[in-house]
Amino acid sequence: MSRAAGSIGALRARLEWLRLLGVEDLPVRPETGGAVAPEPRPVPRPGVSPEERRGAVQAGLFGGAEEVEASPLAQARAPEAPDAAAALRLIRVDIGECTRCGLCGNRTNVVFGVGDPNARLVFVGEGPGADEDRKGEPFVGRAGQLLTKIIESMGMERKDVYIANVVKCRPPENRTPLPDEIATCSPFLFQQLAAIGPRVIVCLGTPATQTVLGTRDTITRLRGTFHDIGGIRVMPTFHPAYLLRNPAAKREVWDDMKKVMAELKKAE
């Protein structure tokens, strides 16, 4: 590689880094760069309607190897409803003022999910924190503000995506949800995902990744590579709260998001 090419690459990486940190006056056109994600299995044709995409996902038309068999998402079905928004409302009604596990004892609000019911991109975290519990909306605290910057750096707004958590009530002291809590609450998440039928799911952190993929592997082993579940592309990456503690990892997350942007562009 020539010195000029190396300098251009370094400059591009620096500009992307600044953009991820929220600098708005140095726009950069996203590049796929880096390692190329593996070719996806067949997916709904470009231009497919949200209803057709959801139907194909729910019908399990895309084959799926080990991950489809391992993940409960492969068998998830949304409630019968005219559209995704109506299906999500039915799921929320079903949750009600939930007392199915011990997390209900300390919560202020059930934190269901927010965003576009027909989103092509869904972000999944592990559970609400104190700010989210007070407001009843996922990812509104410091980690949520960073997630918003990441979404905006991808050329979108929060209203363009859907954001949800594995568990809908805040674990005490923001601890990791326990296996029985995840087992009780995650079926609602899988119903949400089946109703939306996104092109890509980004799993934020180990609990979300393990739940969605049905695996025991950690985020450090799985991040940065797409996994297929019933035609949905799943990208594990670090949780924004981890990035607040380890800012250097933002570079890796941005690399993951460039792969997600490239995947979304394929389906346009």
Side-chain angles (χ1 to χ4, degrees), residues 38 41 62-75 190 209-217 221-222 225-236:
R41 294 184 177 91
F62 304 105
E66 298 177 358
E67 282 123 7
V68 168
E69 295 177 2
S71 172
L73 176 57
Q75 287 76 44
F190 295 133
T209 298
Q210 290 179 337
T211 301
V212 172
L213 292 183
T215 182
R216 301 286 293 176
D217 286 338
R221 180 180 177 86
L222 295 171
T225 302
F226 278 114
H227 306 262
D228 293 327
I229 302 176
I232 298 175
R233 304 280 276 166
V234 179
M235 172 61 75

Side-chain angles (χ1 to χ4, degrees), residues 1-29:
M1 178 186 294
S2 69
R3 179 175 298 178
S7 299
I8 292 171
L11 177 59
R12 180 182 294 116
R14 179 59 178 166
L15 291 174
E16 289 175 347
W17 173 260
L18 290 171
R19 183 179 181 181
L20 181 59
L21 291 176
V23 178
E24 300 295 339
D25 57 345
L26 293 171
V28 177
R29 181 180 178 180

Side-chain angles (χ1 to χ4, degrees), residues 57-58 70-79 88 91 124 164-166 168 182-198 201 203 207-214 229 232:
V57 169
Q58 293 175 31
S71 172
L73 176 57
Q75 287 76 44
R77 296 292 181 269
L88 291 172
I91 298 166
V124 176
N165 283 307
V166 172
K168 310 305 186 190
I182 291 174
T184 299
C185 205
S186 60
F188 296 115
L189 170 68
F190 295 133
Q191 286 185 333
Q192 287 173 282
L193 296 174
I196 297 166
I201 297 171
C203 292
T209 298
Q210 290 179 337
T211 301
V212 172
L213 292 183
I229 302 176
I232 298 175

Side-chain angles (χ1 to χ4, degrees), residues 103 111 123-129 132 138-139 147 163-178 181-182 185-186 189 202-212 219 237-242 245:
L103 291 181
V111 182
F123 290 89
V124 176
E126 63 183 77
E132 292 75 15
F139 283 93
L147 177 60
I163 306 172
N165 283 307
V166 172
V167 298
K168 310 305 186 190
C169 299
R170 181 195 179 195
E173 306 302 320
N174 292 352
R175 62 161 171 76
T176 300
L178 301 176
E181 296 162 352
I182 291 174
C185 205
S186 60
L189 170 68
V202 173
C203 292
L204 302 169
T206 293
T209 298
Q210 290 179 337
T211 301
V212 172
I219 189 66
T237 196
F238 295 127
H239 194 286
Y242 175 82
R245 301 189 301 270

